[in-house]
Amino acid sequence: MIDKYVAQAPTQEAAIQKGLEAVGITKEEAKITVQDPGKKGFLGIGQRDAIVVVERLEKKDLVSDLLEPIKPLDVAPSKPQVTAKKENETKKAAENLTPAPEKDKVQATEHAQTAKKDEVQSAKSATDNLHNEEYEETMIPAEQDQAAIEAIADYLEMIVRAMKIDDVEVFVSRVDNFVTYDIETESAGLVIGRHGKVLNGLQILAQNHMHQLAHSKLFVKVDAEKYRERRKSTVERLADRTAEKVVQTGQRVSLNPMPAHERKQIHRYLNHYTGVQTYSEGKEPYRYLVVEPLDDEE
Amino acid sequence: MTDQEMRKLIRAIVEPLVSHPEAINLELQETEDFHEYLLSVHEEDVGRVIGKRGRIAKAIRAIIYSIDYDGDKRVRLTILD
């Protein structure tokens, strides 16, 4: 018998349903945490599955708890603040995403849970209560990371708006420790800049600010109109052509200076190309990559 | 873009990065060729705004220099330390 299941499905509702079936319980018996509400995307581009965590609640008499969630609030007057804060965060996390009718129910469940905790707490001594409160005030790492991820999205949106681009929306997706911010606007060209200069600037600022805010080491990518992918294939084409030339002529070729992440793409790409080896020389920001023939003739 | 809007943009970028946002000061100095913005921040924050090897400063400049500013003169950002 499993107590917890992390479900992934195209929509939040489907994921919750899947999770409930996997654990073999009904919605009333579950604690549902939305980890990622997912994203619909457009014509299959940018689509992301929703991820929810479904956990079994140990208590069987949850229904009665649900019916009277308000009462404990009077008993412990200092606690509701924390509850309210939490709920705000949940709401914020769900913002700018597809409307999910399930959201309210999930929140209600969460609310009931917190309320239940209050009841237990009020029974404890005053000092004990104080300690617990302090503990709850300090954010747990995952929460801090989540807050940081959202703060960076706001930060990027604020900068782009200050660039007088009004139709901006920032979409966030996260895989492990890699967070991608997709800036969507009609004026993507302005956000990207010549040779991606502006986009790279935004990425550096976002990455830097993320390190200031987040608890874990999170890696930030900022993209607009799939620029990164487009650039990647350009860079790989360049790598192909250069490697061919090096093999044909037996001469080393230096490329123009480019940012670290693009050099990395070429190093990795040409790693599997037989007959050439790569290295970089020069000082940032003018560091450039050199492709030379592999010297294994001995 | 106007002076007012440029100031807003610089502040939007810098404010979240520093720990003393109230100490941010921005002045405009008109020279022959440039609209030169002089940015000063609290001494504890100078490093944050410049970054290792000027990484952050370079990123900030990349963004604000990309803006189409009213008139012929170009924008320049100087960070005072």
Side-chain angles (χ1 to χ4, degrees):
Chain A
M1 179 168 101
I2 42 172
D3 288 316
K4 190 179 165 186
Y5 186 80
V6 183
Q8 189 174 353
T11 67
Q12 191 172 308
E13 294 88 316
I16 292 172
Q17 198 48 48
K18 199 170 150 190
L20 291 172
E21 277 170 20
V23 186
I25 49 174
T26 62
K27 200 173 277 162
E28 282 70 35
E29 298 169 305
K31 174 180 188 288
I32 297 165
T33 319
V34 181
Q35 224 168 49
D36 186 340
K39 196 178 135 188
K40 242 200 220 124
F42 181 69
L43 297 174
I45 301 165
Q47 191 266 339
R48 206 175 69 232
D49 281 355
I51 300 169
V52 299
V53 183
V54 177
E55 283 169 273
R56 183 191 302 276
L57 288 174
E58 329 83 291
K59 263 202 150 183
K60 284 281 169 265
D61 58 343
L62 186 80
V63 182
S64 56
D65 277 352
L66 268 172
L67 291 174
E68 40 167 5
I70 318 290
K71 201 188 80 194
L73 297 184
D74 305 319
V75 190
S78 58
K79 291 305 286 182
Q81 281 180 333
V82 182
T83 317
K85 210 177 98 200
K86 258 195 205 144
E87 260 185 21
N88 267 340
E89 270 165 23
T90 324
K91 240 177 242 163
K92 222 181 141 202
E95 237 176 35
N96 87 15
L97 291 148
T98 40
E102 236 60 53
K103 204 175 78 190
D104 288 330
K105 264 185 199 157
V106 176
Q107 267 180 16
T109 324
E110 270 176 13
H111 186 88
Q113 274 232 324
T114 328
K116 221 165 64 186
K117 229 188 283 167
D118 289 346
E119 227 166 20
V120 182
Q121 287 240 325
S122 61
K124 289 183 183 173
S125 72
T127 41
D128 219 59
N129 213 336
L130 208 80
H131 276 298
N132 271 320
E133 229 169 273
E134 264 170 40
Y135 173 72
E136 292 234 349
E137 291 297 78
T138 51
M139 272 202 235
I140 59 167
E143 266 176 34
Q144 192 185 337
D145 286 351
Q146 190 52 42
I149 289 170
E150 283 160 29
I152 300 294
D154 291 345
Y155 181 51
L156 287 170
E157 188 174 324
M158 208 174 62
I159 295 176
V160 176
R161 273 188 206 286
M163 289 168 74
K164 306 234 29 177
I165 298 169
D166 296 324
D167 65 328
V168 60
E169 259 188 285
V170 177
F171 293 93
V172 189
S173 55
R174 177 182 178 177
V175 179
D176 298 328
N177 280 340
F178 296 87
V179 185
T180 303
Y181 293 95
D182 209 343
I183 301 175
E184 285 199 16
T185 160
E186 289 281 311
S187 333
L190 294 178
V191 178
I192 296 168
R194 251 182 63 202
H195 302 311
K197 254 189 159 178
V198 176
L199 200 62
N200 287 340
L202 289 170
Q203 179 164 306
I204 288 168
L205 290 174
Q207 176 74 78
N208 168 66
H209 199 28
M210 180 70 96
H211 288 329
Q212 288 180 347
L213 299 178
H215 177 271
S216 322
K217 178 126 179 133
L218 299 175
F219 299 93
V220 173
K221 195 170 118 181
V222 177
D223 201 356
E225 252 186 8
K226 302 268 161 212
Y227 176 78
R228 300 284 181 212
E229 263 171 49
R230 268 166 28 216
R231 183 70 190 158
K232 192 178 171 210
S233 54
T234 311
V235 165
E236 286 178 352
R237 269 203 309 277
L238 171 73
D240 265 332
R241 261 187 289 129
T242 313
E244 255 170 59
K245 200 165 130 194
V246 169
V247 170
Q248 266 172 23
T249 61
Q251 299 280 316
R252 66 211 286 272
V253 173
S254 315
L255 297 173
N256 289 328
M258 54 177 78
H261 60 265
E262 289 181 9
R263 289 199 310 274
K264 198 167 163 187
Q265 279 173 4
I266 298 188
H267 283 307
R268 199 184 296 146
Y269 186 70
L270 289 184
N271 198 13
H272 308 290
Y273 199 104
T274 43
V276 298
Q277 58 191 8
T278 59
Y279 62 91
S280 298
E281 55 182 33
K283 276 213 167 120
E284 295 280 14
Y286 303 108
R287 205 165 156 74
Y288 58 91
L289 192 141
V290 180
V291 185
E292 65 175 15
L294 202 63
D295 42 14
D296 54 356
E297 264 109 276
E298 289 105 86
Chain B
M1 187 176 262
T2 62
D3 173 40
Q4 276 306 313
E5 289 164 343
M6 180 52 81
R7 282 167 193 264
K8 255 193 212 157
L9 173 60
I10 297 173
R11 281 184 180 274
I13 296 172
V14 175
E15 259 170 30
L17 302 180
V18 299
S19 48
H20 301 279
E22 73 288 347
I24 295 176
N25 190 39
L26 200 53
E27 261 163 56
L28 174 61
Q29 199 175 66
E30 294 290 348
T31 68
E32 201 149 309
D33 304 310
F34 295 101
H35 303 281
E36 189 169 8
Y37 284 90
L38 306 173
L39 172 71
S40 66
V41 294
H42 193 279
E43 58 176 319
E44 281 175 23
D45 291 325
V46 175
R48 293 203 174 102
V49 176
I50 294 176
K52 275 186 202 147
R53 288 171 178 264
R55 230 172 108 79
I56 305 301
K58 203 181 143 221
I60 298 173
R61 291 198 178 105
I63 295 167
I64 66 172
Y65 292 176
S66 79
I67 298 296
D68 189 14
Y69 200 90
D70 295 353
D72 305 328
K73 284 202 282 182
R74 302 197 45 212
V75 171
R76 185 144 87 174
L77 177 70
T78 304
I79 299 166
L80 304 171
D81 57 357

